[in-house]
Amino acid sequence: MLDPALLRGHLADTARRLAARGYTLDTAAFEAIEAERKRVQTETQELQNLRNTRSKAIGQAKAKGEDTAALMAEVAGIGDRLKANEQALADVQERLAALSLGIPNLPHESVPVGGDEHANTEQHRWGTPRTFDFTVKDHVELGAHKGWLDGDAGAKLSGARFTVLRGELARLHRALAQFMLDLHTQEHGYLECNVPLIVNSDAMHGTGQLPKFEEDLFATQVGETKRYLIPTAEVSLTNIVRDDIVEADALPLRMAAHSLCFRAEAGSHGRDTRGMIRQHQFEKVELVSIAKPSESFDEHERMTRCAEVVLEKLGLPYRRMLLCTGDMGFTATKTYDLEVWLPSQGTYREISSCSNCVDFQARRMQARWRNPDTGKPELVHTLNGSGVAVGRALIAVMENYQNADGSISVPEALRRYMGGAERIA
RNA sequence: GGAGAGGUGGCAGAGUGGUCGAAUGCGCCGGAUUCGAAAUCCGGUUUACGGUUAUGCCGUAACGUGGGUUCGAAUCCCACCCUCUCCGCCA
């Protein structure tokens, strides 16, 4: 959620900055509803004030044993008027909230302006894609060996975009997650967390999945209670500080979790249907930082580096992209994507996304810290990044480390998690 | 799933219809005392929203959540959520 003061005081400028990311803010509608809100709220508060003072007078009169009939008559009509006003206020505030909750974050000034991914700018590359002296196979062909990667079984059990992993490949997948979590918790200073995969509606509103993107989520309903499967552990980790006031010396609060993620992938029909690039269920090691506002952009660089180190230790060539205004997610003010080299596609594919959301999620969550300079609770900044997507990392390892005979070499960093194995075959 | 107890400020804990945003204690901040400290004493110490002739002032709201009764609700009524204890079940 944007700062309401920004919308009230700098509406035209805010609309212009939102337009850079392809969002059209209906300023006339906003101004109309905001004017109504102000009028109704002022009226309501005046009525409440009147009722309070009159009621207090009645109490004092009764205490003195005086007759209260005149006072009672005076206050008679207030109740109904007040009730009507309070209802009107609730209505207008609900409409205002619906509008506000649907407005995306403002892009940071360092973000290039552009409509889609073609305007993203490459920041740097690491590693050199390997040259093969045989015809490379993609991960689906490699995975067909020994039933390692079985899309048909996944479809039988659940439908499209589900996969069964078996044998040494399943073990390699697990090794990747273990390796990443160990790296971030033991070397990068993140606190290991194990979090709920099913969360309530408040949590989904806090990090911005709701109310706008419900169709992207899997939901559960038990009795009257509707809950949602997390599309990323960002939801669980970030909402830990919802409604909290964090002490200054606890910041930055760095948390990491290995979790399952569930995405409905509505609107992705036909994209990446082959293999396990885009699944309804996948695993990810997620990094979340809760930071002081003055430190969040430094923290963003640091977090992105933590993700890059994963790929470097795995020996996977990648590049860092700075997303343009039109390609960023709803909550982000600035996002770096890491793209890993996939030999079968001859291109780089997204494997991590690291975003600074500044106070956008914090305002929705009422997540604050106590600023020692002011003594007041102020909104924190929240950041999240994949460090990294486990399923896509598996694909990258399979394809980049494949051998002519269809076996797959195990990257040095993973061998201790694979009982020392140098290759799987 | 059954039975019971309970949810009040940073914490503990009073308050069962009226001047209660809420006693008291602890903690915290400032001051006095002191060579300094402890102890003691004095004062201060929630948050959100709105207004404003803004480093202040005024108003409104908030005692788990949502409704209801009432001129007036932390207090009475209803529903729900959560926590704890015991029993059952279960990984």
Side-chain angles (χ1 to χ4, degrees), chain A residues 1 4 7-8 29-30 32-45 48 82-102 211:
Chain A
M1 210 164 87
L7 290 167
R8 292 191 200 128
F30 179 83
I33 196 169
E34 170 59 18
E36 188 184 348
R37 190 228 94 226
K38 191 165 173 174
R39 181 180 63 75
V40 175
Q41 181 162 349
T42 307
E43 267 177 34
T44 304
Q45 292 188 352
Q48 286 170 327
L82 189 55
K83 194 165 278 186
N85 257 285
E86 283 174 340
Q87 185 57 52
L89 183 60
D91 285 350
V92 72
Q93 281 177 333
E94 195 174 312
R95 279 185 285 144
L96 196 58
L99 188 63
S100 303
L101 289 173

Side-chain angles (χ1 to χ4, degrees), chain A residues 190-210:
Chain A
Y190 285 83
L191 176 68
E192 178 165 352
C193 299
N194 189 289
V195 296
L197 307 180
I198 301 173
V199 301
N200 60 32
S201 165
D202 286 345
M204 285 297 186
H205 278 88
T207 33
Q209 284 73 27
L210 291 178

